[in-house]
Amino acid sequence: MSNNPEFDDLKQALCEAIQDEYKACATYRLIIQKFGPIKPFVNIIEAEKRHIQALMPLFIRYNIPIPDDDWETRIIPPTR
């Protein structure tokens, strides 16, 4: 942990943001795997990927390690 509370807040916010995008992307991937490439899910997953890509330069700029995406193993696939 740094001695800069503002940096710590930024790091936490970026990590929460990317984890939220990872989770959404994994959720929609599983929905598409179950039901096929139907709208709006194919559109939404592409938007989530763009959101992730938009966050990457901020991690790089502030030298914050990019968290791993392990959400696909944490999401329960839809059953129907």
Side-chain angles (χ1 to χ4, degrees), residues 30-60:
L30 290 174
I31 290 170
I32 290 168
Q33 285 175 6
K34 176 73 176 181
F35 301 106
I38 57 175
K39 289 185 178 184
F41 303 111
V42 292
N43 297 349
I44 296 170
I45 197 169
E46 290 306 316
E48 301 301 343
K49 290 176 184 178
R50 285 191 302 274
H51 299 161
I52 291 167
Q53 289 305 311
L55 289 167
M56 294 298 182
L58 295 171
F59 281 91
I60 294 165

